[in-house]
Amino acid sequence: MNGIPMEHGLIVAAVLFALGVTGVLIRRDILFILLSLEIMLNAAGLAFVVAGSRWLQPDGQLMFIFILAVAAAEVSLGLALILWMYSWHKTLDVDCASKMRG
Amino acid sequence: MLEFIWLIVAFPFAGFIILILTGSRLSRRGISVVGTGSVGLAAIIAILTGINFIISPPPGDAYTQPLWTWLAVGGFSPLVSLYLDALSVVMVLVVAIVGFFILLYSAEHMAREAGMRRFFAYMDLFVGSMLVLVMADNLLLLYLGWEGVGLCSYLLIGFWYDDPANIKAANKAFIVTRIGDTAFAIGLLLLFVHLNTLSIQGIIKAAPWQWTEGSNIAFWAALLLLGGAVGKSAQLPLQTWLPDAMAGPTPVSALIHAATMVTAGVYLIARMHVIFQLAPLVQGFVAVIGAATLLLAAGSAIAQWDIKRVLAYSTISQIGYMFLALGVGAWSAAIFHFMTHAFFKALLFLGAGVVIAGLGGEHDIYKMGGLRREMPVTFWTFLIGAASLAALPLITAGFYSKDLILFAAWTSERGSSWLWAAGSIGAFLTGLYAFRLVFLVFFGKAVTPVNDRPGPAITIPLVTLAGLSLMSGFVQMPLVIAPVTVFSDFMSRSLPEMSMLHVSFKVDLFLFLAAALISPAGVFAAWWLYIDASRHVTDFTEKPAGALIHRLSFDGWGFDLLYDAVFVRPFVWAARVNRGDFVDLFYRGVAWFSSRLSLSLARTQSGMVRQYALGVAMGAVIALGLVLVL
């Protein structure tokens, strides 16, 4: 565990997070937006784990378990919403689901 | 017995509520029974309590009946409480009895009106409010009754609301009296601020302790109360509303605009006499206003062709006599004249109503004539009323009350021969216009055929009021005839006696003979001008100067034109110029700005999830950036 310096781990987490944000913003397919959200969550989890290993504390990994639970709940809800949206709009394009504008 | 006085007020209000809530299910007969009966019951209780009061007076010659606490705010907790003393006994008796007879008359006179239920409901509300006014123990309750009668007056002047002219008359009456009422309200506040009470007895006791005679504050309090009285009683300079108020039904004119409501100002001044005694200057104003009003109004009454307008100007003129009496400190003489005036003027209006209805709605006295044989009962009762108004000596009630006022105008410490002269000229003019009416309407050739004759519900009030117009004067007689002073003895239980200069018997006799001769002279002048040599009148009004005087007198000496030019037109002009209301510009700017802001912010609500996500991300970046930089 001593081989990888903390900065490298954090940079990887930041890059992952940035990729996730970019995905949320530029993808129009709601399935990919959900995927990108998962990437952002995992980036946050990675940052926790790296920080936990730096100070030799179990808290970072503990937090990752929490994030996994949140991610699981989010995915189940998100997939249900996607199914419902598909049956309603016959598409997965989020820009079409803008009925409540204004 | 006296503990039942609350019923006097409660019955008319109960009649009003029954008519308003269940009147639509009542027959026309039922409406008149409820409307008249409720006031009749009030009159019976008033008579019983009045007799009880006179025979066995309560301790202190006054009875107070607290009903409940109206409201309690800080140290201010006015009671709803009734007060009965000699002054209010007379007022209550006159209001209830005259009110009952006028409502009995209305039961027949208004029987064919579409709005009969409305009429009786408003009349009951009026009688109730008027009784509250005269029986109120504190000025706040008095003010409630004061506004209540004003409201009923407005509603009943505009009773036939489909004619815009009637609405205009109602608005005029309401707005002009409102000017006086505002002064009255300010006066109430002034009294409360300085004496810390609105209880009438409290004020009467506290004012002489706290204020010296002629002090500034007493001056303003009296002047503001006088403002209210002048508005309500149609005295100079707020007299212009009363002639137009004749647009209402005739019983309304008889009850509200002759017998009771318009004398509320006289009652107010008599009730608050202590304040006026502390402000001799204002009391002088009262006398001068009375004298000027009685002359101007009598002058106008001569030129009118509308029978009701003659009587309206005559009412203004007679209330002028009452103000004259109040102004010279002859409190009981004013109340005496109020009483006799209520009887004979109600009688005259009711008689005029019969004539108008009999001739199919004709108001023009020049189109009447010869009704003496067609309507004998109306003729004789109207003649008695006119004789009482003209104050024909010895037999009529009006003579005794007017003689007392003229006597007081000369002999009072605050009187003067000028006031006496004005009153005497007024008495001559009164005889002239009263009998001009009689001669033109009942004598001469018949012009319009009679097609409607009164039934018993009309003749009973006429005959009763005629009896009262003759009899009610015998309770007080001049010293020259007989020392009968029942009325002033009774009034002295609640009003101070007039402080008189000592006069010799010769002056006494001169004043009596002058009063006894001047009104027959007026009647003779009427006979000469309108029966014997009527061409003199037309000759006079055809000359340019005569036509001008006639025109001025007919228009009430131009007060309407003056007020129209000075107040109404500038106000209407300002209202039109300021239709956009420039004060509103700022607020409209605020409204415009926020609606624009809202519209531009609404654009961000695009419904695009990715834009919202971008917003969140940008916000997070900016927040983090700020944390890093700062």
Side-chain angles (χ1 to χ4, degrees):
Chain A
M1 288 295 243
N2 291 333
I4 305 169
M6 185 189 67
E7 286 79 11
H8 293 190
L10 285 182
I11 287 168
V12 171
V15 169
L16 267 178
F17 192 83
L19 281 173
V21 169
T22 317
V24 168
L25 292 183
I26 65 171
R27 285 291 184 169
R28 289 168 66 174
D29 191 324
I30 192 162
L31 208 58
F32 283 92
I33 291 178
L34 209 60
L35 272 172
S36 309
L37 274 175
E38 289 302 314
I39 291 170
M40 285 162 71
L41 279 171
N42 281 317
L46 180 60
F48 271 116
V49 172
V50 168
S53 76
R54 164 68 179 78
W55 278 285
L56 299 173
Q57 296 285 332
D59 300 9
Q61 294 177 32
L62 209 65
M63 285 304 295
F64 186 66
I65 306 280
F66 275 126
I67 287 171
L68 270 185
V70 170
E74 183 242 313
V75 164
S76 58
L77 265 178
L79 285 175
L81 281 174
I82 287 168
L83 280 177
W84 187 80
M85 180 183 164
Y86 186 73
S87 69
W88 190 261
H89 288 290
K90 297 291 175 228
T91 174
L92 288 178
D93 186 351
V94 280
D95 288 0
C96 292
S98 61
K99 277 267 169 66
M100 285 178 63
R101 100 167 42 93
Chain B
M1 187 64 214
L2 287 178
E3 59 270 24
F4 292 118
I5 57 170
W6 65 274
L7 283 172
I8 302 175
V9 178
F11 273 122
F13 281 132
F16 166 69
I17 289 168
I18 290 171
L19 287 175
I20 285 292
L21 294 183
T22 66
S24 55
R25 273 176 257 155
L26 288 172
S27 65
R28 285 184 166 259
R29 198 173 167 73
I31 290 169
S32 50
V33 167
V34 171
T36 312
S38 55
V39 177
L41 287 172
I44 289 170
I45 296 172
I47 292 168
L48 291 178
T49 46
I51 291 171
N52 193 281
F53 186 92
I54 294 166
I55 292 174
S56 57
D61 281 329
Y63 177 77
T64 312
Q65 184 174 47
L67 296 176
W68 66 85
T69 304
W70 190 349
L71 49 95
V73 185
F76 177 60
S77 51
L79 294 175
V80 173
S81 168
L82 302 177
Y83 180 80
L84 204 66
D85 65 353
L87 175 58
S88 31
V89 164
V90 172
M91 299 297 292
V92 166
L93 283 175
V94 170
V95 170
I97 293 173
V98 173
F100 168 70
F101 282 116
I102 290 172
L103 279 164
L104 182 63
Y105 171 96
S106 314
E108 186 178 324
H109 188 80
M110 303 295 286
R112 288 193 290 270
E113 283 298 330
M116 186 192 176
R117 170 165 75 112
R118 195 159 48 91
F119 175 82
F120 275 98
Y122 291 163
M123 287 294 257
D124 277 2
L125 181 64
F126 169 79
V127 174
S129 308
M130 190 68 205
L131 289 167
V132 167
L133 198 169
V134 296
M135 285 165 72
D137 178 51
N138 61 60
L139 283 175
L140 202 63
L141 192 61
L142 191 152
Y143 195 71
L144 179 76
W146 187 273
E147 294 298 310
V149 293
L151 170 71
C152 293
S153 158
Y154 165 76
L155 291 171
L156 285 164
I157 294 169
F159 178 72
W160 291 304
Y161 53 78
D162 37 13
D163 184 352
N166 295 347
I167 299 300
K168 222 173 166 184
N171 284 342
K172 184 174 176 189
F174 197 71
I175 292 166
V176 174
T177 50
R178 202 78 1 209
I179 297 168
D181 292 359
T182 309
F184 183 20
I186 297 169
L188 289 192
L189 296 178
L190 190 74
L191 285 172
F192 182 71
V193 165
H194 283 272
L195 301 174
N196 207 23
T197 178
L198 280 180
S199 152
I200 291 170
Q201 299 311 311
I203 289 171
I204 285 177
K205 284 194 192 75
W209 278 91
Q210 301 215 356
W211 299 339
T212 52
E213 186 169 317
S215 68
N216 236 342
I217 194 77
F219 171 81
W220 284 109
L223 194 67
L224 288 165
L225 291 182
L226 174 62
V230 157
K232 207 57 151 187
S233 292
Q235 297 294 294
L236 226 55
L238 297 178
Q239 83 286 26
T240 54
W241 64 272
L242 191 59
D244 290 334
M246 297 298 122
T250 310
V252 172
S253 311
L255 179 61
I256 301 183
H257 303 121
T260 55
M261 184 192 85
V262 287
T263 52
V266 177
Y267 171 77
L268 177 70
I269 296 178
R271 184 48 95 199
M272 304 308 293
H273 57 89
V274 173
I275 306 286
F276 287 86
Q277 281 171 332
L278 289 172
L281 195 59
V282 181
Q283 207 186 347
F285 280 163
V286 176
V288 171
I289 286 173
T293 310
L294 78 88
L295 280 179
L296 288 179
S300 284
I302 296 173
Q304 305 301 315
W305 53 262
D306 181 334
I307 184 168
K308 286 182 75 180
R309 283 178 84 92
V310 176
L311 293 174
Y313 276 111
S314 143
T315 303
I316 298 174
S317 171
Q318 296 304 308
I319 297 172
Y321 276 104
M322 298 177 211
F323 269 62
L324 174 60
L326 295 169
V328 298
W331 313 104
S332 69
I335 301 302
F336 189 35
H337 196 56
F338 150 74
M339 182 177 84
T340 59
H341 172 257
F343 295 142
F344 67 68
K345 189 53 65 63
L347 169 63
L348 286 170
F349 266 114
L350 297 186
V354 174
V355 170
I356 291 168
L359 301 181
E362 183 57 66
H363 281 237
D364 188 345
I365 50 177
Y366 288 103
K367 292 182 183 156
M368 301 171 179
L371 296 177
R372 182 165 39 123
R373 277 177 298 276
E374 297 280 344
M375 299 176 155
V377 178
T378 314
F379 165 64
W380 282 107
T381 50
F382 197 92
L383 184 67
I384 291 170
S388 202
L389 169 62
L392 287 188
L394 301 180
I395 51 165
T396 63
F399 169 71
Y400 294 106
S401 56
K402 203 175 281 177
D403 174 65
L404 193 61
I405 290 175
L406 293 178
F407 179 74
W410 181 292
T411 59
S412 162
E413 270 183 349
R414 296 169 191 256
S416 79
S417 49
W418 286 104
L419 294 174
W420 175 84
S424 297
I425 295 169
F428 174 80
L429 294 174
T430 309
L432 178 57
Y433 70 70
F435 276 81
R436 167 179 179 260
L437 210 53
V438 172
F439 291 141
L440 286 177
V441 173
F442 291 98
F443 288 77
K445 280 199 296 281
V447 182
T448 316
V450 179
N451 47 26
D452 191 15
R453 281 185 177 71
I458 283 180
T459 45
I460 291 171
L462 287 180
V463 172
T464 317
L465 287 171
L468 287 169
S469 303
L470 291 179
M471 303 298 185
S472 62
F474 297 132
V475 292
Q476 176 85 21
M477 290 195 178
L479 290 172
V480 179
I481 304 179
V484 180
T485 55
V486 177
F487 190 84
S488 59
D489 289 347
F490 182 58
M491 290 317 293
S492 67
R493 292 186 194 174
S494 61
L495 292 172
E497 308 228 7
M498 183 180 77
S499 49
M500 238 168 37
L501 299 171
H502 184 72
V503 288
S504 65
F505 184 74
K506 267 188 206 158
V507 176
D508 241 15
L509 194 65
F510 162 70
L511 290 176
F512 173 76
L513 288 178
L517 290 177
I518 202 148
S519 54
V523 176
F524 177 76
W527 175 79
W528 184 65
L529 284 175
Y530 293 97
I531 296 273
D532 192 41
S534 54
R535 69 197 154 72
H536 287 303
V537 179
T538 40
D539 281 358
F540 178 69
T541 51
E542 271 163 15
K543 280 182 215 150
L548 181 70
I549 291 172
H550 178 260
R551 178 96 215 130
L552 268 177
S553 151
F554 180 75
D555 286 340
W557 310 105
F559 279 96
D560 269 331
L561 289 176
L562 180 71
Y563 293 164
D564 197 45
V566 176
F567 299 111
V568 179
R569 255 180 257 187
F571 185 79
V572 170
W573 176 80
R576 200 170 41 234
V577 167
N578 195 21
R579 184 166 275 169
D581 196 355
F582 65 91
V583 179
D584 267 3
L585 284 179
F586 171 72
Y587 298 99
R588 253 184 255 146
V590 170
W592 176 84
F593 176 73
S594 48
S595 80
R596 293 312 297 259
L597 197 65
S598 143
L599 278 178
S600 49
L601 283 176
R603 292 234 182 92
T604 62
Q605 298 280 321
S606 57
M608 301 288 191
V609 176
R610 295 183 308 136
Q611 284 181 12
Y612 298 166
L614 182 63
V616 172
M618 296 286 283
V621 168
I622 290 169
L624 280 176
L626 283 178
V627 168
L628 289 179
V629 170
L630 299 178

